[in-house]
Amino acid sequence: MTAPGEAARRKPARRPTIKDIARRAGVSESAVSFALNDRPGVSEDTRARIRKVADELGWQANSAARALSGERAGCLGLVLARPARTLGVESFFLQLVSGIQEVLSARRTALLFQVVEDLDTECALYRRWWAERRVDGVLVVDPRTDDPRPALLTALGLPAVAIGGPAPDVAEPSAAPLLTTVWADDAAAMARILDHLHGLGHRRIVHIAGLPGLAHTARRIHSLRTEAARRGLDVRQVRSITTDYSDAEGAEATRRLLDAAEPPTALIYDNDVMAIAGASVAAGRGIPVPGRLSIVAWDDSPLCRVAHPPLTALVRDTAGFGRLAAGELLDLLDGGPARTTEGELPHLEPRESTGPPPA
């Protein structure tokens, strides 16, 4: 039986060559060279057939030369499949990349970073990078609850580290083969937040979460529900709603909640940007924080510290998380074992945005 992560250490599958294309298309290697380099010497029908075979085999123009060299590309890849409009205001990925780059710079390794619109495009990009031998390995972010990427990367033999994947004890038995993973205990972090708010006396608590379908979103939602039930809280009063992480959706969710017949007395936001937007909505409605509404930001940042009042926030070393992930991938490339590593547990920093609920 193959151990978890063992498949990720397999050697990359052999890349197709001009000889493979010639054999499949039933032509000479020179005819393949003419067709793929747009040179005269073959008919248009033959050229089209050769190109079709090349596409089916996943051939790219520079793959053969690089395969013959036997050298590393000296570059790691990172793809982010999120709406571009949500990135400019969120500090998490900037801090993560800074930590990754710190480690890679010491090893004189480049980082190829690309933003795409969806998961299908991300998977297509991995296939192209593999075929072109553009990267030696990839860092995979935003693990999904139903994620096609581990199986794809394992099949390609492209070394990878998943950042923020589930812990082994919560992984589904039917999940795709595990990649090397670094993760943070979102469940324990949520428990710390709920301990704080419950201890202050809050019983109507809403978690304004990020994108649905992300593994860490699911873990946080599950943890809130579990911790609420453990404390005997009404699950109709302690719940989660999802957003796209943007300030606009964070503000809109806050408006809807404050308009309810029984509005929450505490809100937990999945990032600092949404927390600041929510605090602004409360201020605009004359709702004092924390007199009538307590606010917690999942991610700490300078925005949380300079807000009025300063926001209670979950503090974690995001750059350190990036350094850990980059180090694990470099170790994997050097022949190290695939494994699952837990990052430092974030701690809650109470500030002036949380207090007892109104009487």
Side-chain angles (χ1 to χ4, degrees):
M1 180 177 178
T2 301
E6 183 177 333
R9 301 196 298 274
R10 295 173 185 162
K11 292 181 179 179
R14 187 179 72 84
R15 292 174 173 81
T17 65
I18 285 179
K19 183 179 292 186
D20 297 325
I21 299 170
R23 186 182 302 114
R24 174 80 68 89
V27 298
S28 67
E29 292 178 35
S30 59
V32 174
S33 179
F34 291 154
L36 297 179
N37 290 289
D38 289 323
R39 294 166 55 191
V42 293
S43 69
E44 288 305 311
D45 286 346
T46 301
R47 189 186 307 276
R49 185 169 81 255
I50 290 171
R51 286 179 173 173
K52 183 174 184 295
V53 170
D55 287 341
E56 290 172 351
L57 292 177
W59 184 87
Q60 297 290 332
N62 62 347
S63 62
R66 289 190 176 180
L68 286 173
S69 71
E71 296 180 357
R72 288 186 182 179
C75 181
L76 302 182
L78 173 61
V79 185
L80 188 57
R82 283 197 186 185
R85 68 181 185 278
T86 66
L87 301 180
V89 294
E90 191 173 358
S91 63
F92 174 82
F93 282 105
L94 181 61
Q95 296 176 48
L96 183 73
V97 170
S98 71
I100 292 169
Q101 191 59 47
E102 185 179 338
V103 171
L104 299 190
S105 295
R107 287 283 296 267
R108 298 184 178 180
T109 300
L111 180 67
L112 180 56
F113 176 64
Q114 191 158 338
V115 179
V116 298
E117 285 297 316
D118 54 47
L119 203 58
D120 288 341
T121 308
E122 179 178 346
C123 289
L125 189 58
Y126 289 144
R127 293 187 185 94
R128 180 159 64 84
W129 281 354
W130 168 81
E132 295 176 352
R133 204 168 186 176
R134 295 287 300 279
V135 298
D136 298 315
V138 293
L139 295 157
V140 180
V141 296
D142 286 345
R144 266 64 171 182
T145 51
D146 184 15
D147 201 328
R149 294 172 296 176
L152 169 63
L153 293 167
T154 298
L156 293 177
L158 186 59
V161 170
I163 300 176
D169 60 326
V170 299
E172 292 294 333
S174 60
L178 292 176
L179 303 177
T180 291
T181 300
V182 297
W183 68 289
D185 194 343
D186 292 293
M190 179 62 83
R192 288 186 171 186
I193 294 174
L194 201 59
D195 275 341
H196 176 65
L197 294 175
H198 184 261
L200 290 171
H202 292 278
R203 301 297 181 266
R204 298 200 303 272
I205 304 167
V206 176
H207 167 218
I208 300 180
L211 290 164
L214 297 185
H216 66 257
T217 300
R219 288 197 302 272
R220 294 174 190 181
I221 291 173
H222 177 74
S223 177
L224 180 71
R225 188 181 302 121
T226 300
E227 294 297 326
R230 188 168 69 84
R231 293 167 174 80
L233 300 177
D234 186 343
V235 295
R236 295 169 298 179
Q237 302 284 358
V238 181
R239 58 193 176 90
S240 300
I241 59 176
T242 57
T243 69
D244 67 356
Y245 281 113
S246 71
D247 56 332
E249 288 206 7
E252 179 57 31
T254 304
R255 292 186 193 99
R256 293 198 311 269
L257 291 168
L258 295 181
D259 285 339
E262 282 191 302
T265 62
L267 295 175
I268 305 166
Y269 294 87
D270 256 5
N271 67 12
D272 55 338
V273 173
M274 292 197 297
I276 293 294
S280 178
V281 169
R285 296 189 172 202
I287 298 174
V289 174
R292 285 176 52 196
L293 178 67
S294 287
I295 290 178
V296 177
W298 189 276
D299 285 324
D300 191 26
S301 74
L303 287 176
C304 296
R305 295 189 289 272
V306 302
H308 183 72
L311 302 186
T312 295
L314 200 66
V315 179
R316 56 180 172 176
D317 183 5
T318 305
F321 203 47
R323 290 192 294 271
L324 176 62
E328 287 294 315
L329 184 51
L330 291 174
D331 285 347
L332 194 63
L333 293 174
D334 289 339
R339 59 188 179 184
T340 296
T341 304
E342 183 179 354
E344 181 183 351
L345 181 65
H347 70 273
L348 189 68
E349 183 70 31
R351 298 192 181 109
E352 296 171 29
S353 69
T354 50

